[in-house]
Amino acid sequence: MSRQKQKFIELYQCLRQETPDYPVFPDISLAPFTTFAVGGNADLLLLPRHRRELLRALELCEQLELPLIVLGGGANVLVSDIGIRGVVLSLCGLQDIGWNSRDFLLEAEAGWDMSQISGYSVRQSAAGLHHFYGMPGSLGGAVYMNARCYEGEMSEIVRRVLCIPRQSVPPAREAHADQGGQAEQADKAESFYRPSELRWVELGLGDWHYKYSHFRPDSGHALAGALIVAVELRLREQSQSGLEREMHSFLEDRIVKGHFRAPCGGSFFKNDRAFGAPTGQIIDGLGLKGLRHGGAQLAPWHGNIIINAGRASAGEIWQLSCRIREEVRQRTGFELEPEVQRLGDWQLWDSGH
Ligand SMILES: NC(=O)C1=CN([C@@H]2O[C@H](COP(=O)(O)OP(=O)(O)OC[C@H]3O[C@@H](n4cnc5c(N)ncnc54)[C@H](OP(=O)(O)O)[C@@H]3O)[C@@H](O)[C@H]2O)C=CC1
Ligand SMILES: C=C(O[C@H]1[C@H](O)[C@@H](CO)O[C@H](OP(=O)(O)OP(=O)(O)OC[C@H]2O[C@@H](n3ccc(=O)[nH]c3=O)[C@H](O)[C@@H]2O)[C@@H]1NC(C)=O)C(=O)O
């Protein structure tokens, strides 16, 4: 048995011994945890139900030198068909919430579903989160990618984030990395989180761009890859009935535009003002809607939504997106940037097999 496998077993046994019903699942399909409904298995999936369970799992992963891959609401990710080798952590169970009606401050844990927390905020007559009603995904994921829709953006309401900075190197190997730099190189893609480093970080306007935050693993910022545990949002007072009307009009717009007609990840590519038109409109203009590759299809009703039209593989969805990018590049010169993030091992597809 490999050393890695022994560590998974050790982690599993420790968690279950301490908490017999700890939600830890070996060799489990991640497809039901993504809105594309595709993807292979994770070696081990952790679904802590509250902060204590999360912090204990992080502590054990740190001790065992097991890196973690974090999954948000699964709304903007494409998990490889051969899955994810390692421990996957979903924070969807973390849903504590506190409402300060005097200052209109909402403190919520990262696992909140965006639509549900949007509804919660509107019931407090608070504006700012209502734009996100009907948007799939979790609060943590929305912060991570600075979600934006209907002229509302997360950066406008996020005040502070409770997070744990990422350590690229397991604690035991830190000394070596400092000396030679070699270990750091080898562990570039691995994420470790030290529970004792949980802290609130204030964010300013400079920390965000269009659909981008410093939490992106490649941002080069101190917050790169940090684990978002909770968020404090500053909302504005507004009449509940007016907010409800807006909120339902956004949901209606999504329904009309076919966001829920088939499993998908919403917009596949980012918009870019420099193109002079939204990406969906550009792709539509090239007559590509309805294009198929196996079970993957560019929605016949929207140029920027790739759907799982039935039994699609993640590979087919990705290959279709590459074909669309290539067509757009050749015919317009525009370089589309995917909004959907890939997780897991993609070497097979990237090497052209
Ligand atoms: N039923 C209703 O009452 C509804 C009302 N609305 C209202 O309509 C207004 C607009 O909503 P919104 O969702 O922003 O719809 P828009 O059609 O204005 O924008 C849709 C998307 O296209 C992008 N876009 C627009 N023009 C360009 C361009 N030239 N280049 C690249 N991207 C572009 C926008 O980017 P960006 O985000 O950067 O602007 C946005 O992401 C809002 O005030 C909203 O409240 C919206 C939906 C339903
Ligand atoms: C949360 C998301 O963000 C979404 C957000 O929900 C919506 C609504 O605000 O606006 C963006 O989509 P989008 O650009 O595709 O918005 P749409 O309103 O559908 O399309 C923009 C414009 O292009 C036109 N359009 C779109 C698709 C198409 O095939 N043909 C076409 O002409 C539409 O008629 C509209 O005038 C965000 N996407 C990006 C990449 O910025 C998401 O990923 O789903």
Side-chain angles (χ1 to χ4, degrees), residues 199-226:
R199 67 180 77 146
W200 281 103
V201 175
E202 304 241 351
L203 292 168
L205 277 181
D207 291 317
W208 313 89
H209 303 290
Y210 163 73
K211 295 214 168 176
Y212 168 92
S213 80
H214 283 331
F215 291 99
R216 292 263 181 197
D218 54 357
S219 74
H221 191 269
L223 289 175

PDB file of all heavy atoms in Angstrom, residues 199-226:
ATOM      1  N   ARG A 199      -7.696  34.026  10.670  1.00  0.00           N
ATOM      2  CA  ARG A 199      -7.705  35.462  11.004  1.00  0.00           C
ATOM      3  C   ARG A 199      -8.619  36.260  10.069  1.00  0.00           C
ATOM      4  O   ARG A 199      -8.896  35.837   8.955  1.00  0.00           O
ATOM      5  CB  ARG A 199      -6.302  36.021  10.882  1.00  0.00           C
ATOM      6  CG  ARG A 199      -5.819  36.029   9.423  1.00  0.00           C
ATOM      7  CD  ARG A 199      -4.447  36.584   9.294  1.00  0.00           C
ATOM      8  NE  ARG A 199      -3.476  35.599   9.707  1.00  0.00           N
ATOM      9  CZ  ARG A 199      -2.258  35.483   9.150  1.00  0.00           C
ATOM     10  NH1 ARG A 199      -1.885  36.322   8.224  1.00  0.00           N
ATOM     11  NH2 ARG A 199      -1.431  34.553   9.530  1.00  0.00           N
ATOM     12  N   TRP A 200      -9.076  37.395  10.589  1.00  0.00           N
ATOM     13  CA  TRP A 200      -9.875  38.303   9.762  1.00  0.00           C
ATOM     14  C   TRP A 200      -8.934  39.181   8.939  1.00  0.00           C
ATOM     15  O   TRP A 200      -7.971  39.725   9.479  1.00  0.00           O
ATOM     16  CB  TRP A 200     -10.748  39.204  10.626  1.00  0.00           C
ATOM     17  CG  TRP A 200     -11.985  38.527  11.136  1.00  0.00           C
ATOM     18  CD1 TRP A 200     -12.184  38.047  12.389  1.00  0.00           C
ATOM     19  CD2 TRP A 200     -13.187  38.265  10.399  1.00  0.00           C
ATOM     20  NE1 TRP A 200     -13.447  37.488  12.493  1.00  0.00           N
ATOM     21  CE2 TRP A 200     -14.080  37.620  11.287  1.00  0.00           C
ATOM     22  CE3 TRP A 200     -13.615  38.506   9.090  1.00  0.00           C
ATOM     23  CZ2 TRP A 200     -15.361  37.216  10.906  1.00  0.00           C
ATOM     24  CZ3 TRP A 200     -14.889  38.105   8.709  1.00  0.00           C
ATOM     25  CH2 TRP A 200     -15.749  37.472   9.609  1.00  0.00           C
ATOM     26  N   VAL A 201      -9.242  39.324   7.666  1.00  0.00           N
ATOM     27  CA  VAL A 201      -8.450  40.200   6.801  1.00  0.00           C
ATOM     28  C   VAL A 201      -9.380  41.238   6.200  1.00  0.00           C
ATOM     29  O   VAL A 201     -10.411  40.894   5.607  1.00  0.00           O
ATOM     30  CB  VAL A 201      -7.782  39.380   5.662  1.00  0.00           C
ATOM     31  CG1 VAL A 201      -7.064  40.302   4.697  1.00  0.00           C
ATOM     32  CG2 VAL A 201      -6.827  38.354   6.231  1.00  0.00           C
ATOM     33  N   GLU A 202      -9.041  42.518   6.377  1.00  0.00           N
ATOM     34  CA  GLU A 202      -9.860  43.599   5.788  1.00  0.00           C
ATOM     35  C   GLU A 202      -9.495  43.726   4.323  1.00  0.00           C
ATOM     36  O   GLU A 202      -8.316  43.650   3.969  1.00  0.00           O
ATOM     37  CB  GLU A 202      -9.542  44.927   6.487  1.00  0.00           C
ATOM     38  CG  GLU A 202      -9.718  44.882   7.977  1.00  0.00           C
ATOM     39  CD  GLU A 202     -10.757  45.869   8.475  1.00  0.00           C
ATOM     40  OE1 GLU A 202     -11.211  46.696   7.664  1.00  0.00           O
ATOM     41  OE2 GLU A 202     -11.094  45.783   9.663  1.00  0.00           O
ATOM     42  N   LEU A 203     -10.481  43.945   3.490  1.00  0.00           N
ATOM     43  CA  LEU A 203     -10.191  44.061   2.063  1.00  0.00           C
ATOM     44  C   LEU A 203     -10.539  45.460   1.564  1.00  0.00           C
ATOM     45  O   LEU A 203     -11.537  46.048   1.972  1.00  0.00           O
ATOM     46  CB  LEU A 203     -10.977  43.013   1.273  1.00  0.00           C
ATOM     47  CG  LEU A 203     -10.512  41.576   1.538  1.00  0.00           C
ATOM     48  CD1 LEU A 203     -11.492  40.581   0.979  1.00  0.00           C
ATOM     49  CD2 LEU A 203      -9.146  41.324   0.930  1.00  0.00           C
ATOM     50  N   GLY A 204      -9.715  45.950   0.654  1.00  0.00           N
ATOM     51  CA  GLY A 204      -9.973  47.265   0.063  1.00  0.00           C
ATOM     52  C   GLY A 204     -10.267  47.107  -1.422  1.00  0.00           C
ATOM     53  O   GLY A 204     -10.169  46.011  -1.971  1.00  0.00           O
ATOM     54  N   LEU A 205     -10.597  48.231  -2.057  1.00  0.00           N
ATOM     55  CA  LEU A 205     -10.976  48.166  -3.478  1.00  0.00           C
ATOM     56  C   LEU A 205      -9.862  47.606  -4.356  1.00  0.00           C
ATOM     57  O   LEU A 205     -10.121  46.926  -5.344  1.00  0.00           O
ATOM     58  CB  LEU A 205     -11.386  49.552  -3.977  1.00  0.00           C
ATOM     59  CG  LEU A 205     -12.829  49.950  -3.668  1.00  0.00           C
ATOM     60  CD1 LEU A 205     -13.141  51.319  -4.216  1.00  0.00           C
ATOM     61  CD2 LEU A 205     -13.801  48.902  -4.229  1.00  0.00           C
ATOM     62  N   GLY A 206      -8.602  47.872  -3.972  1.00  0.00           N
ATOM     63  CA  GLY A 206      -7.465  47.421  -4.773  1.00  0.00           C
ATOM     64  C   GLY A 206      -7.267  45.911  -4.775  1.00  0.00           C
ATOM     65  O   GLY A 206      -6.451  45.388  -5.526  1.00  0.00           O
ATOM     66  N   ASP A 207      -8.028  45.216  -3.910  1.00  0.00           N
ATOM     67  CA  ASP A 207      -7.847  43.762  -3.821  1.00  0.00           C
ATOM     68  C   ASP A 207      -8.667  43.001  -4.860  1.00  0.00           C
ATOM     69  O   ASP A 207      -8.654  41.773  -4.875  1.00  0.00           O
ATOM     70  CB  ASP A 207      -8.245  43.277  -2.418  1.00  0.00           C
ATOM     71  CG  ASP A 207      -7.270  43.766  -1.362  1.00  0.00           C
ATOM     72  OD1 ASP A 207      -6.064  43.700  -1.622  1.00  0.00           O
ATOM     73  OD2 ASP A 207      -7.718  44.232  -0.292  1.00  0.00           O
ATOM     74  N   TRP A 208      -9.417  43.710  -5.688  1.00  0.00           N
ATOM     75  CA  TRP A 208     -10.334  43.044  -6.606  1.00  0.00           C
ATOM     76  C   TRP A 208     -10.182  43.580  -8.029  1.00  0.00           C
ATOM     77  O   TRP A 208      -9.826  44.732  -8.229  1.00  0.00           O
ATOM     78  CB  TRP A 208     -11.792  43.320  -6.206  1.00  0.00           C
ATOM     79  CG  TRP A 208     -12.104  43.152  -4.766  1.00  0.00           C
ATOM     80  CD1 TRP A 208     -12.020  44.087  -3.790  1.00  0.00           C
ATOM     81  CD2 TRP A 208     -12.599  41.971  -4.140  1.00  0.00           C
ATOM     82  NE1 TRP A 208     -12.425  43.574  -2.589  1.00  0.00           N
ATOM     83  CE2 TRP A 208     -12.795  42.266  -2.774  1.00  0.00           C
ATOM     84  CE3 TRP A 208     -12.916  40.690  -4.593  1.00  0.00           C
ATOM     85  CZ2 TRP A 208     -13.273  41.331  -1.864  1.00  0.00           C
ATOM     86  CZ3 TRP A 208     -13.402  39.766  -3.691  1.00  0.00           C
ATOM     87  CH2 TRP A 208     -13.572  40.089  -2.338  1.00  0.00           C
ATOM     88  N   HIS A 209     -10.542  42.747  -8.992  1.00  0.00           N
ATOM     89  CA  HIS A 209     -10.739  43.186 -10.373  1.00  0.00           C
ATOM     90  C   HIS A 209     -11.965  42.441 -10.893  1.00  0.00           C
ATOM     91  O   HIS A 209     -12.538  41.611 -10.186  1.00  0.00           O
ATOM     92  CB  HIS A 209      -9.531  42.843 -11.252  1.00  0.00           C
ATOM     93  CG  HIS A 209      -8.255  43.418 -10.752  1.00  0.00           C
ATOM     94  ND1 HIS A 209      -7.980  44.756 -10.793  1.00  0.00           N
ATOM     95  CD2 HIS A 209      -7.183  42.826 -10.172  1.00  0.00           C
ATOM     96  CE1 HIS A 209      -6.787  44.965 -10.268  1.00  0.00           C
ATOM     97  NE2 HIS A 209      -6.285  43.812  -9.874  1.00  0.00           N
ATOM     98  N   TYR A 210     -12.302  42.662 -12.169  1.00  0.00           N
ATOM     99  CA  TYR A 210     -13.439  41.987 -12.783  1.00  0.00           C
ATOM    100  C   TYR A 210     -13.263  40.462 -12.656  1.00  0.00           C
ATOM    101  O   TYR A 210     -12.279  39.899 -13.135  1.00  0.00           O
ATOM    102  CB  TYR A 210     -13.531  42.396 -14.269  1.00  0.00           C
ATOM    103  CG  TYR A 210     -14.397  41.484 -15.106  1.00  0.00           C
ATOM    104  CD1 TYR A 210     -15.791  41.512 -14.979  1.00  0.00           C
ATOM    105  CD2 TYR A 210     -13.843  40.596 -16.019  1.00  0.00           C
ATOM    106  CE1 TYR A 210     -16.579  40.675 -15.738  1.00  0.00           C
ATOM    107  CE2 TYR A 210     -14.630  39.758 -16.785  1.00  0.00           C
ATOM    108  CZ  TYR A 210     -16.000  39.799 -16.633  1.00  0.00           C
ATOM    109  OH  TYR A 210     -16.775  38.956 -17.392  1.00  0.00           O
ATOM    110  N   LYS A 211     -14.210  39.848 -11.976  1.00  0.00           N
ATOM    111  CA  LYS A 211     -14.212  38.400 -11.754  1.00  0.00           C
ATOM    112  C   LYS A 211     -12.852  37.867 -11.288  1.00  0.00           C
ATOM    113  O   LYS A 211     -12.367  36.841 -11.746  1.00  0.00           O
ATOM    114  CB  LYS A 211     -14.717  37.672 -12.998  1.00  0.00           C
ATOM    115  CG  LYS A 211     -16.189  38.013 -13.284  1.00  0.00           C
ATOM    116  CD  LYS A 211     -17.005  36.905 -13.863  1.00  0.00           C
ATOM    117  CE  LYS A 211     -18.483  37.280 -13.803  1.00  0.00           C
ATOM    118  NZ  LYS A 211     -19.364  36.324 -14.414  1.00  0.00           N
ATOM    119  N   TYR A 212     -12.222  38.613 -10.394  1.00  0.00           N
ATOM    120  CA  TYR A 212     -10.902  38.241  -9.891  1.00  0.00           C
ATOM    121  C   TYR A 212     -10.744  38.748  -8.464  1.00  0.00           C
ATOM    122  O   TYR A 212     -11.129  39.880  -8.150  1.00  0.00           O
ATOM    123  CB  TYR A 212      -9.823  38.890 -10.776  1.00  0.00           C
ATOM    124  CG  TYR A 212      -8.439  38.819 -10.178  1.00  0.00           C
ATOM    125  CD1 TYR A 212      -7.594  37.757 -10.471  1.00  0.00           C
ATOM    126  CD2 TYR A 212      -7.995  39.805  -9.286  1.00  0.00           C
ATOM    127  CE1 TYR A 212      -6.332  37.686  -9.903  1.00  0.00           C
ATOM    128  CE2 TYR A 212      -6.752  39.733  -8.708  1.00  0.00           C
ATOM    129  CZ  TYR A 212      -5.921  38.677  -9.022  1.00  0.00           C
ATOM    130  OH  TYR A 212      -4.686  38.599  -8.452  1.00  0.00           O
ATOM    131  N   SER A 213     -10.169  37.907  -7.604  1.00  0.00           N
ATOM    132  CA  SER A 213      -9.787  38.378  -6.268  1.00  0.00           C
ATOM    133  C   SER A 213      -8.379  37.883  -5.973  1.00  0.00           C
ATOM    134  O   SER A 213      -7.879  36.970  -6.637  1.00  0.00           O
ATOM    135  CB  SER A 213     -10.737  37.816  -5.199  1.00  0.00           C
ATOM    136  OG  SER A 213     -10.371  36.483  -4.888  1.00  0.00           O
ATOM    137  N   HIS A 214      -7.773  38.468  -4.957  1.00  0.00           N
ATOM    138  CA  HIS A 214      -6.431  38.035  -4.560  1.00  0.00           C
ATOM    139  C   HIS A 214      -6.419  36.619  -3.998  1.00  0.00           C
ATOM    140  O   HIS A 214      -5.365  36.052  -3.751  1.00  0.00           O
ATOM    141  CB  HIS A 214      -5.842  38.998  -3.534  1.00  0.00           C
ATOM    142  CG  HIS A 214      -5.338  40.264  -4.140  1.00  0.00           C
ATOM    143  ND1 HIS A 214      -4.857  40.328  -5.415  1.00  0.00           N
ATOM    144  CD2 HIS A 214      -5.222  41.521  -3.635  1.00  0.00           C
ATOM    145  CE1 HIS A 214      -4.468  41.564  -5.687  1.00  0.00           C
ATOM    146  NE2 HIS A 214      -4.688  42.304  -4.622  1.00  0.00           N
ATOM    147  N   PHE A 215      -7.635  36.050  -3.772  1.00  0.00           N
ATOM    148  CA  PHE A 215      -7.684  34.673  -3.274  1.00  0.00           C
ATOM    149  C   PHE A 215      -7.345  33.657  -4.360  1.00  0.00           C
ATOM    150  O   PHE A 215      -7.117  32.493  -4.073  1.00  0.00           O
ATOM    151  CB  PHE A 215      -9.070  34.362  -2.688  1.00  0.00           C
ATOM    152  CG  PHE A 215      -9.337  35.120  -1.421  1.00  0.00           C
ATOM    153  CD1 PHE A 215     -10.081  36.282  -1.431  1.00  0.00           C
ATOM    154  CD2 PHE A 215      -8.803  34.677  -0.223  1.00  0.00           C
ATOM    155  CE1 PHE A 215     -10.311  36.992  -0.260  1.00  0.00           C
ATOM    156  CE2 PHE A 215      -9.022  35.379   0.954  1.00  0.00           C
ATOM    157  CZ  PHE A 215      -9.779  36.540   0.931  1.00  0.00           C
ATOM    158  N   ARG A 216      -7.326  34.086  -5.620  1.00  0.00           N
ATOM    159  CA  ARG A 216      -6.941  33.177  -6.706  1.00  0.00           C
ATOM    160  C   ARG A 216      -5.554  32.597  -6.407  1.00  0.00           C
ATOM    161  O   ARG A 216      -4.641  33.346  -6.036  1.00  0.00           O
ATOM    162  CB  ARG A 216      -6.865  33.950  -8.029  1.00  0.00           C
ATOM    163  CG  ARG A 216      -8.204  34.407  -8.499  1.00  0.00           C
ATOM    164  CD  ARG A 216      -8.724  33.436  -9.503  1.00  0.00           C
ATOM    165  NE  ARG A 216     -10.017  33.862  -9.996  1.00  0.00           N
ATOM    166  CZ  ARG A 216     -10.855  33.064 -10.637  1.00  0.00           C
ATOM    167  NH1 ARG A 216     -10.531  31.818 -10.858  1.00  0.00           N
ATOM    168  NH2 ARG A 216     -11.996  33.510 -11.065  1.00  0.00           N
ATOM    169  N   PRO A 217      -5.386  31.307  -6.598  1.00  0.00           N
ATOM    170  CA  PRO A 217      -4.101  30.684  -6.229  1.00  0.00           C
ATOM    171  C   PRO A 217      -2.914  31.270  -6.973  1.00  0.00           C
ATOM    172  O   PRO A 217      -1.794  31.232  -6.478  1.00  0.00           O
ATOM    173  CB  PRO A 217      -4.280  29.220  -6.616  1.00  0.00           C
ATOM    174  CG  PRO A 217      -5.698  29.039  -6.964  1.00  0.00           C
ATOM    175  CD  PRO A 217      -6.357  30.357  -7.133  1.00  0.00           C
ATOM    176  N   ASP A 218      -3.161  31.827  -8.151  1.00  0.00           N
ATOM    177  CA  ASP A 218      -2.046  32.339  -8.956  1.00  0.00           C
ATOM    178  C   ASP A 218      -1.873  33.847  -8.813  1.00  0.00           C
ATOM    179  O   ASP A 218      -1.179  34.472  -9.609  1.00  0.00           O
ATOM    180  CB  ASP A 218      -2.278  31.979 -10.430  1.00  0.00           C
ATOM    181  CG  ASP A 218      -3.643  32.444 -10.921  1.00  0.00           C
ATOM    182  OD1 ASP A 218      -4.403  32.988 -10.093  1.00  0.00           O
ATOM    183  OD2 ASP A 218      -3.953  32.272 -12.116  1.00  0.00           O
ATOM    184  N   SER A 219      -2.512  34.480  -7.817  1.00  0.00           N
ATOM    185  CA  SER A 219      -2.487  35.950  -7.745  1.00  0.00           C
ATOM    186  C   SER A 219      -1.123  36.497  -7.335  1.00  0.00           C
ATOM    187  O   SER A 219      -0.837  37.673  -7.536  1.00  0.00           O
ATOM    188  CB  SER A 219      -3.557  36.453  -6.765  1.00  0.00           C
ATOM    189  OG  SER A 219      -3.148  36.195  -5.436  1.00  0.00           O
ATOM    190  N   GLY A 220      -0.309  35.666  -6.714  1.00  0.00           N
ATOM    191  CA  GLY A 220       0.995  36.137  -6.252  1.00  0.00           C
ATOM    192  C   GLY A 220       0.873  36.977  -4.976  1.00  0.00           C
ATOM    193  O   GLY A 220       1.857  37.451  -4.420  1.00  0.00           O
ATOM    194  N   HIS A 221      -0.332  37.160  -4.472  1.00  0.00           N
ATOM    195  CA  HIS A 221      -0.601  37.965  -3.283  1.00  0.00           C
ATOM    196  C   HIS A 221      -0.530  37.086  -2.031  1.00  0.00           C
ATOM    197  O   HIS A 221      -0.623  35.856  -2.137  1.00  0.00           O
ATOM    198  CB  HIS A 221      -2.007  38.557  -3.442  1.00  0.00           C
ATOM    199  CG  HIS A 221      -2.359  39.607  -2.456  1.00  0.00           C
ATOM    200  ND1 HIS A 221      -2.965  39.313  -1.258  1.00  0.00           N
ATOM    201  CD2 HIS A 221      -2.182  40.945  -2.485  1.00  0.00           C
ATOM    202  CE1 HIS A 221      -3.163  40.448  -0.599  1.00  0.00           C
ATOM    203  NE2 HIS A 221      -2.694  41.451  -1.319  1.00  0.00           N
ATOM    204  N   ALA A 222      -0.379  37.729  -0.864  1.00  0.00           N
ATOM    205  CA  ALA A 222      -0.330  36.950   0.385  1.00  0.00           C
ATOM    206  C   ALA A 222      -1.618  36.144   0.593  1.00  0.00           C
ATOM    207  O   ALA A 222      -1.610  35.133   1.297  1.00  0.00           O
ATOM    208  CB  ALA A 222      -0.100  37.892   1.555  1.00  0.00           C
ATOM    209  N   LEU A 223      -2.725  36.587  -0.013  1.00  0.00           N
ATOM    210  CA  LEU A 223      -3.991  35.870   0.161  1.00  0.00           C
ATOM    211  C   LEU A 223      -4.179  34.737  -0.841  1.00  0.00           C
ATOM    212  O   LEU A 223      -5.183  34.020  -0.792  1.00  0.00           O
ATOM    213  CB  LEU A 223      -5.167  36.847   0.000  1.00  0.00           C
ATOM    214  CG  LEU A 223      -5.380  37.858   1.117  1.00  0.00           C
ATOM    215  CD1 LEU A 223      -6.500  38.812   0.755  1.00  0.00           C
ATOM    216  CD2 LEU A 223      -5.697  37.139   2.428  1.00  0.00           C
ATOM    217  N   ALA A 224      -3.240  34.568  -1.760  1.00  0.00           N
ATOM    218  CA  ALA A 224      -3.390  33.542  -2.809  1.00  0.00           C
ATOM    219  C   ALA A 224      -3.651  32.173  -2.201  1.00  0.00           C
ATOM    220  O   ALA A 224      -2.877  31.707  -1.364  1.00  0.00           O
ATOM    221  CB  ALA A 224      -2.142  33.492  -3.681  1.00  0.00           C
ATOM    222  N   GLY A 225      -4.762  31.555  -2.606  1.00  0.00           N
ATOM    223  CA  GLY A 225      -5.070  30.193  -2.163  1.00  0.00           C
ATOM    224  C   GLY A 225      -5.546  30.099  -0.723  1.00  0.00           C
ATOM    225  O   GLY A 225      -5.747  28.993  -0.219  1.00  0.00           O
ATOM    226  N   ALA A 226      -5.741  31.243  -0.041  1.00  0.00           N
ATOM    227  CA  ALA A 226      -6.194  31.188   1.360  1.00  0.00           C
ATOM    228  C   ALA A 226      -7.577  30.534   1.431  1.00  0.00           C
ATOM    229  O   ALA A 226      -8.377  30.647   0.497  1.00  0.00           O
ATOM    230  CB  ALA A 226      -6.251  32.594   1.946  1.00  0.00           C
TER     231      ALA A 226
END
